[in-house]
Amino acid sequence: MKHAGKRCARTALNVALMACLALAGLTGCQSAADLSAVNAEAARPVQRYDITQALAANGRTVVAGTQSGAVLVSADQGRSWQRQMLAGASLVGLAACPDGSFVGVDFFHKVWRADAAGTQWSAVPLDKPRTPLAVSCDAQGRWWVAGTAATLAVSADRGATWQVSELAEDAQLTGVQMVDARFGIATGEFGLIAVTTDGGATWSRRGKMPDEFYPYASLFVSPAEGWVSGLAGQILHTTDGGLSWTRQPNASQMPLYRLFLHEGIPYGVGAGGTVARLDGGQWQPVAYPDPLPVFLGAAASLPEQHALVIGGPGGLLRVIGTQALAAR
């Protein structure tokens, strides 16, 4: 009986020990895991899962819109960034207005606005176009939005009211720009071109780009001259306001997803980490330090420091000086 009692005691002790070990595994009685690296990554303003989809700059502030709903704001020309989250947003387009304020569009039927410091973000609903794809701000400060169903919308009162123009086409408009006070142009799917000559009061179709061209981006420097970029690195050029188009050589052979002016010269960014600029009637790749072979979905000009800011996946946000590059 005495040995049996000892065996029972040992069994009870073993059961208690196993229970304690199990409880330690469940409740963390043992030493806690070191999460310092995880916490440090979460505290970074630019995180490795960020995909930059849009960039805009007003001379003082740079704003980047990401797929995840984060807005990254720099007050020092891209040297450092602050992170803000916009609930339910995925900004696909951004523009700076003449007063320095920012306007952006997301896939979820909203137009976003921020002040010149890139703060105080607020949203207004957008009924048409149902899915906005491009946004610009004209010299009068009006917001222009283009998107699906060949629809254009303009607001002169920061989204309180909208004037909508529908072109009766089942096509996406991927670009819209008011080139001056009266002339504006929109480009879209299947080679669609629409223009206004009365400041946006009315829009009409004008010719077509060849081969049902799908434009990723467009850039006009006058009512006559402009460029569109598309599939397989194709770039079209017009000198008569879109009535006719010719192909321009693109030595990078990479599609350019954004076109923009930098110090008076057309630039583009695109696949394979490509930065390109127009030089003598041809688009030439721009060599820059430590390029990454990823798509660049956004860029903006920083003329105050003779630089570009470029953005892409993997938390990529970089500033590239262009004075030294131009001298190569």
Side-chain angles (χ1 to χ4, degrees), residues 5-284:
K6 289 182 178 179
R7 283 197 297 272
C8 289
R10 284 198 296 270
T11 299
L13 180 61
N14 289 337
V15 170
L17 179 60
M18 292 174 64
C20 182
L21 291 174
L23 183 62
L26 292 173
T27 63
C29 292
Q30 58 192 29
S31 59
D34 183 2
L35 299 178
S36 58
V38 175
N39 294 332
E41 176 63 28
R44 294 177 183 272
V46 182
Q47 300 183 357
R48 64 176 181 269
Y49 59 79
D50 286 331
I51 300 175
T52 300
Q53 301 182 137
L55 278 161
N58 64 8
R60 182 165 64 97
T61 306
V62 185
V63 174
T66 73
Q67 190 178 73
S68 64
V71 171
L72 307 172
V73 180
S74 175
D76 55 10
Q77 301 286 295
R79 296 180 184 86
S80 64
W81 299 86
Q82 297 294 321
R83 186 181 192 87
Q84 303 176 47
M85 294 300 300
L86 304 183
S90 180
L91 294 179
V92 295
L94 278 168
C97 293
D99 65 355
S101 63
F102 293 91
V103 59
V105 290
D106 69 23
F107 279 129
F108 307 112
H109 328 306
K110 294 188 295 295
V111 179
W112 291 84
R113 178 185 180 276
D115 61 19
T119 62
Q120 300 182 16
W121 289 89
S122 61
V124 295
L126 183 71
D127 182 47
K128 293 182 178 181
R130 186 59 181 162
T131 303
L133 299 174
V135 63
S136 63
C137 198
D138 66 21
Q140 301 174 52
R142 295 181 298 175
W143 299 350
W144 286 94
V145 180
T148 52
T151 301
L152 294 154
V154 60
S155 176
D157 52 15
R158 299 182 177 181
T161 60
W162 294 89
Q163 175 188 329
V164 176
S165 299
E166 298 177 277
L167 302 176
E169 291 271 359
D170 184 16
Q172 298 179 345
L173 294 178
T174 58
V176 59
Q177 180 184 353
M178 288 300 297
V179 182
D180 59 27
R182 299 194 62 79
F183 183 84
I185 189 163
T187 53
E189 195 176 14
F190 309 120
L192 177 62
I193 303 164
V195 300
T196 179
T197 57
D198 55 13
T202 59
W203 290 80
S204 60
R205 280 164 285 189
R206 171 181 285 188
K208 293 192 77 171
M209 290 176 274
D211 302 322
E212 296 191 335
F213 192 87
Y214 185 94
Y216 290 141
S218 60
L219 171 67
F220 276 76
V221 293
S222 72
E225 187 171 26
W227 298 262
V228 292
S229 59
L231 292 168
Q234 298 179 81
I235 298 178
L236 301 182
H237 178 224
T238 182
T239 56
D240 55 15
L243 291 171
S244 63
W245 297 83
T246 58
R247 298 188 186 276
Q248 279 193 328
N250 177 7
S252 76
Q253 299 183 336
M254 292 291 183
L256 302 180
Y257 303 133
R258 302 284 181 176
L259 299 178
F260 57 100
L261 272 184
H262 173 60
E263 298 181 330
I265 299 172
Y267 274 71
V269 296
T274 298
V275 177
R277 68 168 171 255
L278 185 63
D279 184 3
Q282 299 187 36
W283 291 78
Q284 299 290 346

